[in-house]
Amino acid sequence: MRLSEEIHNFTEYLVGEQLHHLEVTKQYDADTLQDLSCLVLNRLPPRYIRHDVDVLSAISDEERAQLVAKTKTAIEDALKFLEQDRRQQPRD
């Protein structure tokens, strides 16, 4: 059930912003980027909002920097996980 089209997770915006900033979007196809986004978002706390301006005006520069740093770390961890791709390793 969806409450509203207007309510969304601000963390998704940060992930997309950092994927572009780190130029990850140039390195992978759409399917891999979707998998990567899911892995990253599962490692970060959601921050549901109605309007982006609400959160942008309510958080300090320091708090935004912390969110960006956590997002970058989650992206790095998810990329390492995808590179290991356990599905291609033989099973016992």
Side-chain angles (χ1 to χ4, degrees):
M1 176 178 104
R2 188 169 244 207
L3 295 175
S4 170
E5 292 291 325
E6 295 176 9
I7 297 171
H8 60 281
N9 182 357
F10 179 70
T11 306
E12 291 176 12
Y13 167 78
L14 286 176
V15 169
E17 178 184 71
Q18 290 307 307
L19 288 174
H20 284 303
H21 177 74
L22 298 170
E23 298 186 351
V24 174
T25 55
K26 295 179 181 180
Q27 300 171 20
Y28 298 97
D29 63 14
D31 280 343
T32 303
L33 288 171
Q34 289 175 1
D35 288 344
L36 177 64
S37 296
C38 288
L39 289 169
V40 173
L41 287 167
N42 282 326
R43 295 169 190 242
L44 296 169
R47 191 176 193 122
Y48 290 99
I49 58 170
R50 229 178 123 190
H51 304 289
D52 291 342
V53 70
D54 292 343
V55 73
L56 293 172
S57 63
I59 63 173
S60 67
D61 290 342
E62 182 179 321
E63 186 177 2
R64 178 166 168 77
Q66 289 175 352
L67 289 171
V68 168
K70 288 179 183 177
T71 302
K72 286 180 180 179
T73 300
I75 290 171
E76 291 168 5
D77 292 345
L79 284 170
K80 289 176 190 170
F81 180 81
L82 286 177
E83 287 170 5
Q84 293 174 356
D85 195 359
R86 295 180 299 183
R87 294 173 295 177
Q88 295 183 12
Q89 296 175 0
R91 293 186 175 204
D92 294 336

